[in-house]
Amino acid sequence: QRVPILDIISHYISLKKIGYYWKGQCPFHDEKTASFTVSPHKEIFYCFGCQMGGDVISFVAKIENCSQFQAVKQLADKYSIELPESFSDESFRDLDTKKRFFALHEVVAEWAHQVLLKTPTVLEYLARRKFSLASIERFKIGYFPEHERAIKDLSNYSSRHNFLLKDLIEAGILHDGKSLYSPFEDRLLFPIRDHWGNYCGFGGRVIQPDDQRSKYYNSREHIFFQKGSLLFGFDAAKKEIQKTGIVFLVEGYTDCIALHQHGYSNTVATLGTACTHEHLKQLSAHAHTLYVLYDSDSAGQKATLRLAQMCWEVNLDIKVIMIPDAKDPASFFETQTDLQPAIDQAQDILYFFLMSLGSDFSSKPLT
């Protein structure tokens, strides 16, 4: 009774009011015509396509692939509802572990963010890249310094929030080799949140021009951190995506933040991996059109073409934005501010497909 079913379901799909009901595309099966309904006055949902129905607990259990006990605990935690002591289940232990995992990552994110704000060289780097302090705060960008002192500082900070050194190691934030170290050292830290806003992982980016390591390092896969189903910025973009029916998809964290900073708050990014069917299924529940801003090199073109087929499978219209001078979005905004002309000239995917295949047609030998 204290958990509005409409609020919960709106976190997952876009709904429109029709009389006493709200209607949208079903998240449990693929469909082109919306047949999923929510009745706030009855606190139930029902899909006329797949006949799935129930209350808010049933919905959360189904969409989060968890037990009804776990769904109850998740909703109780979100709405600060105290459950009776007699209401218990072994599976709650898994949910408590998940909650603690999220809390640990939020603690680390806050520590790294405070470190960044006290590190002038990193702030200068972000200023050169034209990132505002508001964006740094909004996405809680952080920095993980080098050397043992940073490890000790993080350990002490975490212990004050009831986390042990072994918790940091088990989460992959620290590694125990010949000595303790972190793969995130001397990297910008981009906290990754799920669609609820829970902190569940990090993306680390090198900032030194002579750094020979991989440009990006992401948190390792975990039962609570699956890169194939997470989108950076989705929790911040969801409302604007629902409002406009449009989503912008980019490849990198800095690209995503740059677009948000310039007014395109319906932008998300993949986590350094190829876009998956699961990613698109999430987006299609909120949007009808996807604008892709991938790099214009051959790898970017191939990734865009792979994306096109999956978009058709989940009923998403796809358009390709070609950024002037073959820049990535973050680089574009370092010197310019108006992306609208490129958006207005976005290519239909079929046209992009034909142009990509025929780009070197005249140079091919006749057979």
Side-chain angles (χ1 to χ4, degrees):
Q1 291 174 345
R2 288 171 57 185
V3 179
I5 190 170
L6 189 62
D7 288 356
I8 294 297
I9 294 181
S10 292
H11 276 284
Y12 297 91
I13 64 173
S14 182
L15 297 167
K16 291 185 178 180
K17 194 172 189 299
I18 301 176
Y20 291 106
Y21 303 91
W22 293 72
K23 201 169 187 180
Q25 288 192 323
C26 182
F28 304 124
H29 79 285
D30 293 332
E31 61 177 5
K32 294 185 178 180
T33 303
S35 58
F36 182 91
T37 61
V38 180
S39 306
H41 56 294
K42 296 181 180 179
E43 291 294 330
I44 60 172
F45 73 92
Y46 183 75
C47 176
F48 289 91
C50 65
Q51 287 76 55
M52 181 71 66
D55 59 14
V56 67
I57 297 171
S58 300
F59 178 85
V60 172
K62 174 67 176 176
I63 203 162
E64 293 287 349
N65 194 28
C66 64
S67 71
Q68 297 232 346
F69 279 105
Q70 289 174 315
V72 168
K73 185 71 187 303
Q74 185 168 321
L75 291 168
D77 287 341
K78 181 173 177 59
Y79 284 86
S80 301
I81 299 171
E82 186 174 349
L83 296 173
E85 290 184 9
S86 59
F87 190 82
S88 62
D89 185 78
E90 283 295 314
S91 58
F92 279 6
R93 294 180 182 178
D94 293 336
L95 201 61
D96 288 337
T97 301
K98 185 176 185 179
K99 185 178 179 182
R100 186 169 171 79
F101 179 86
F102 292 153
L104 171 63
H105 282 77
E106 185 168 5
V107 165
V108 175
E110 183 60 39
W111 169 80
H113 181 61
Q114 294 304 321
V115 169
L116 182 144
L117 296 178
K118 299 173 185 175
T119 310
T121 55
V122 182
L123 287 172
E124 289 168 7
Y125 169 85
L126 289 170
R128 289 196 303 272
R129 298 293 306 272
K130 306 296 184 183
F131 289 108
S132 67
L133 187 58
S135 292
I136 293 171
E137 293 284 356
R138 183 181 186 186
F139 288 91
K140 206 174 278 293
I141 302 173
Y143 174 65
F144 200 123
E146 290 183 284
H147 309 307
E148 294 179 6
R149 182 178 176 181
I151 304 290
K152 185 176 181 181
D153 186 37
L154 173 59
S155 178
N156 291 337
Y157 184 88
S158 299
S159 67
R160 292 198 295 272
H161 292 82
N162 302 313
F163 290 102
L164 303 175
L165 195 61
K166 72 177 184 66
D167 295 319
L168 294 168
I169 295 172
E170 288 175 1
I173 295 162
L174 297 182
H175 289 183
D176 191 6
K178 292 182 179 179
S179 61
L180 281 176
Y181 71 98
S182 174
F184 294 107
E185 288 182 39
D186 199 23
R187 292 180 185 266
L188 282 177
L189 217 57
F190 298 97
I192 297 163
R193 298 187 288 257
D194 65 12
H195 60 280
W196 288 102
N198 297 309
Y199 290 78
C200 56
F202 297 100
R205 187 192 192 281
V206 299
I207 58 175
Q208 304 297 341
D210 58 348
D211 198 323
Q212 299 299 309
R213 297 175 297 170
S214 298
K215 186 176 181 180
Y216 285 99
Y217 177 85
N218 287 319
S219 293
R220 67 190 184 195
E221 290 278 315
H222 187 279
I223 187 173
F224 305 134
F225 181 75
Q226 302 290 326
K227 287 181 281 190
S229 59
L230 287 166
L231 287 162
F232 179 75
F234 188 41
D235 61 308
K238 189 163 48 181
K239 285 186 178 179
E240 187 65 16
I241 294 171
Q242 291 177 340
K243 179 181 175 181
T244 62
I246 294 170
V247 57
F248 293 92
L249 177 66
V250 295
E251 290 184 288
Y253 307 118
T254 55
D255 293 334
C256 182
I257 295 170
L259 262 80
H260 274 259
Q261 183 171 302
H262 286 82
Y264 301 98
S265 55
N266 47 340
T267 303
V268 298
T270 49
L271 310 186
T273 59
C275 191
T276 67
H277 188 275
E278 179 62 27
H279 288 143
L280 296 176
K281 192 173 175 70
Q282 288 182 55
L283 295 176
S284 68
H286 302 273
H288 52 71
T289 304
L290 174 73
Y291 282 89
V292 181
L293 293 88
Y294 279 5
D295 290 349
S296 56
D297 57 16
S298 61
Q301 289 188 8
K302 289 178 181 177
T304 302
L305 294 174
R306 284 196 301 269
L307 197 60
Q309 182 178 351
M310 290 191 291
C311 282
W312 290 327
E313 291 172 358
V314 296
N315 199 31
L316 262 176
D317 289 333
I318 179 171
K319 296 183 181 296
V320 183
I321 296 176
M322 307 300 290
I323 300 178
D325 302 322
K327 292 181 177 179
D328 59 68
S331 299
F332 172 84
F333 284 121
E334 287 179 22
T335 57
Q336 301 182 58
T337 58
D338 190 6
L339 185 64
Q340 193 58 48
I343 296 174
D344 293 339
Q345 296 174 26
Q347 297 178 359
D348 177 87
I349 188 59
L350 179 59
Y351 180 79
F352 175 81
F353 179 78
L354 293 173
M355 292 300 293
S356 297
L357 286 180
S359 59
D360 59 347
F361 180 78
S362 60
S363 63
K364 291 182 178 180
L366 295 175
T367 57

